[in-house]
């Protein structure tokens, strides 16, 4: 399924990699019992998978899907309860500086996990169903084409966690939508918006009915 000599893609934990058609790679978020929440392993594996597939001459297109009930509920809050936290020294000022440094390094790595999608040399098609929340919007913003099911809904949820949507949404969504006012509204309120609004905004190019129909449409397009 891949071209590199690394064995890292043979034992994926948060993702599943398949080749349903020659040259078409299907990357599936594969933690359905956790709503495909994005744990620390997810961010690492995204960099590995898309770097590998992007350098593979046999890859013609990639479909990015989600297993189970939801596409993704976003960041795994339990796994990131101490996001960016570094070792303590007993010196409060030094510890704050270290925490800020480690937080910055963590965010840069998370940004890279989606930038590899943006830089991928082949088209990446997001096949979205049900919930696409927080980091999910960051992720699909890096894809070339976005399809969704009729039950899909979206929320830029970071505002409710006192975070900025700065691993892709703030950088890419304004260009996709072409409306700074609505992007700011969605980011500042974190409100839920449905598939029909996503289509009207230009976030998705097509509503494909059922989740299975959306995945089938993505794979057919990739062929």
């Amino acid at each position: 399924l891949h071209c590199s000599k690394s064995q890292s893609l043979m034992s994926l934990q948060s993702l599943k990699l398949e080749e349903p058609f020659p040259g078409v790679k299907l990357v599936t978020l594969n933690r359905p019992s956790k709503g495909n929440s994005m744990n620390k392993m997810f961010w690492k594996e995204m960099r590995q998978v898309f770097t590998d597939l992007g350098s593979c001459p046999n890859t013609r297109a990639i479909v990015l899907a989600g297993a189970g009930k939801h596409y993704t509920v976003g960041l795994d809050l339990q796994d990131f309860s101490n996001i960016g936290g570094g070792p303590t020294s007993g010196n409060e000022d030094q510890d704050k500086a270290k925490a800020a440094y480690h937080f910055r390094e963590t965010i840069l790595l998370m940004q890279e996990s989606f930038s590899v999608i943006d830089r991928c040399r082949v088209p990446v098609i997001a096949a979205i169903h049900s919930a696409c929340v927080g980091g999910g919007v960051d992720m699909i913003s890096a894809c070339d084409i976005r399809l969704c099911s009729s039950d899909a809904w979206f929320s830029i949820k970071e505002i409710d966690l006192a975070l900025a949507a700065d691993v892709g949404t703030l950088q890419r969504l304004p260009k996709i939508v072409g409306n700074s006012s609505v992007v700011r509204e969605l980011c500042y309120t974190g409100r839920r918006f449905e598939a029909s609004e996503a289509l009207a905004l230009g976030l998705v190019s097509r509503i494909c009915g059922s989740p299975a129909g959306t995945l089938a449409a993505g794979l057919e397009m990739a062929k």
Side-chain angles (χ1 to χ4, degrees), residues 26-37:
L26 174 59
V27 178
T28 304
L29 279 63
N30 196 33
R31 301 181 70 220
S33 64
K34 300 292 186 180
N36 295 322
S37 59

Side-chain angles (χ1 to χ4, degrees), residues 133-150:
V133 175
V137 179
D138 291 289
M139 181 175 67
I140 66 170
S141 295
C143 296
D144 297 286
I145 300 168
R146 291 163 293 277
L147 310 177
C148 77
S149 61
S150 56

Side-chain angles (χ1 to χ4, degrees), residues 16-213:
K16 181 169 66 174
L17 177 60
E18 302 170 278
E19 188 176 35
F21 304 104
V24 175
K25 312 296 185 180
L26 174 59
V27 178
T28 304
L29 279 63
N30 196 33
R31 301 181 70 220
S33 64
K34 300 292 186 180
N36 295 322
S37 59
M38 299 172 171
N39 62 356
K40 292 177 182 178
M41 185 58 69
F42 163 85
W43 300 92
K44 178 181 179 181
E45 290 184 345
M46 286 291 288
R47 296 192 296 272
Q48 293 173 340
V49 167
F50 278 90
T51 298
D52 190 275
L53 294 182
S55 64
C56 177
N58 297 326
T59 301
R60 294 190 296 105
I62 301 170
V63 176
L64 184 56
K69 182 178 179 180
H70 297 297
Y71 188 67
T72 175
V73 298
L75 190 68
D76 186 328
L77 298 179
Q78 184 175 359
D79 212 22
F80 281 90
S81 59
N82 187 33
I83 183 170
T88 59
S89 65
N91 183 306
E92 184 177 353
D93 290 336
Q94 288 184 3
D95 289 343
K96 288 180 179 178
K98 288 179 180 179
Y101 173 81
H102 284 284
F103 181 79
R104 179 177 182 274
E105 292 298 302
T106 299
I107 295 300
L108 288 174
L109 283 173
M110 294 170 75
Q111 289 176 339
E112 179 63 13
S113 297
F114 295 155
S115 291
V116 291
I117 303 174
D118 197 3
R119 294 196 305 267
C120 192
R121 67 171 184 83
V122 300
V124 180
I125 304 166
I128 307 153
H129 71 280
S130 193
C132 180
V133 175
V137 179
D138 291 289
M139 181 175 67
I140 66 170
S141 295
C143 296
D144 297 286
I145 300 168
R146 291 163 293 277
L147 310 177
C148 77
S149 61
S150 56
D151 71 344
W153 59 275
F154 307 80
S155 174
I156 304 172
K157 199 68 174 174
E158 286 87 346
I159 188 70
D160 292 337
L161 305 175
L163 296 173
D166 60 352
V167 293
T169 295
L170 293 176
Q171 295 87 344
R172 299 184 177 99
L173 192 59
K175 182 179 179 180
I176 294 169
V177 173
N179 185 325
S180 177
S181 176
V182 74
V183 170
R184 290 169 189 261
E185 175 196 337
L186 295 173
C187 289
Y188 293 166
T189 65
R191 70 170 176 83
R192 169 173 169 159
F193 59 104
E194 309 295 329
S196 57
E197 185 174 0
L199 180 63
L201 290 173
L203 177 60
V204 301
S205 55
R206 193 190 310 172
I207 299 174
C208 302
S210 69

